[in-house]
């Protein structure tokens, strides 16, 4: 009888731990920003980085690539020649590549 009770208590503890673990994972996944997979190429007249310190840059041929630092999502606003502004959230695996007056926005890093 005592052995059966111990087995039931251990099983209940394991089940409860699994439920709590799944709940924590679910909440973590829900708190991450959902970034659409976008690959955009268009002319621009201005780019503003919400937090310039969140970005690093590197040369790619004759273009400059801006990549979010430290596993964070970074934000940039692109102003088009007609004056409209488009805000982009770019994952740490994505990039914003500038070639002359053309911007290539890859929000999640599957494009270039």
């Amino acid at each position: 009888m005592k052995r059966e009770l111990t087995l039931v208590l251990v099983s209940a503890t394991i089940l409860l731990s699994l439920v709590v673990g799944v709940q924590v994972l679910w909440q973590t996944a829900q708190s991450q920003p959902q970034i659409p997979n976008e690959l955009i190429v268009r002319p621009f007249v201005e780019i503003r980085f919400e937090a310039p310190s969140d970005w690093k840059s590197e040369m790619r041929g004759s273009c400059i690539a801006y990549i979010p630092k430290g596993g964070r999502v970074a934000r940039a606003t692109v102003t088009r020649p007609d004056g409209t502004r488009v805000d982009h959230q770019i994952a740490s695996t994505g990039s914003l590549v500038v070639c002359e007056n053309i911007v290539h926005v890859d929000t999640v890093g599957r494009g270039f």
Side-chain angles (χ1 to χ4, degrees):
M1 180 74 171
K2 188 174 183 180
R3 183 177 177 192
E4 293 165 344
L5 182 59
T6 302
L7 182 61
V8 168
L9 288 174
V10 168
S11 298
T13 302
I14 291 171
L15 182 60
L16 183 60
S17 297
L18 286 172
V19 168
V20 169
V22 168
Q23 184 179 13
V24 167
L25 289 174
W26 176 259
Q27 289 174 345
T28 301
Q30 295 302 313
S31 68
Q32 299 297 321
Q34 299 299 314
I35 299 173
N37 184 14
E38 295 180 317
L39 181 59
I40 300 165
V41 179
R42 45 177 50 122
F44 76 98
V45 293
E46 181 181 49
I47 297 173
R48 288 187 183 229
F49 299 102
E50 183 178 280
S53 62
D54 287 350
W55 296 83
K56 62 183 176 181
S57 63
E58 62 185 41
M59 293 299 295
R60 290 190 184 166
S62 61
C63 302
I64 301 173
Y66 296 93
I67 301 129
K69 287 193 234 177
R72 295 180 295 223
V73 172
R75 292 172 178 77
T77 301
V78 176
T79 303
R80 298 178 184 167
D82 67 0
T84 59
R85 291 187 176 122
V86 181
D87 293 323
H88 296 284
Q89 289 187 49
I90 301 173
S92 61
T93 54
S95 63
L96 192 144
V97 180
V98 176
C99 300
E100 296 184 17
N101 67 332
I102 304 294
V103 64
H104 304 254
V105 180
D106 184 2
T107 58
V108 295
R110 296 187 182 127
F112 299 112

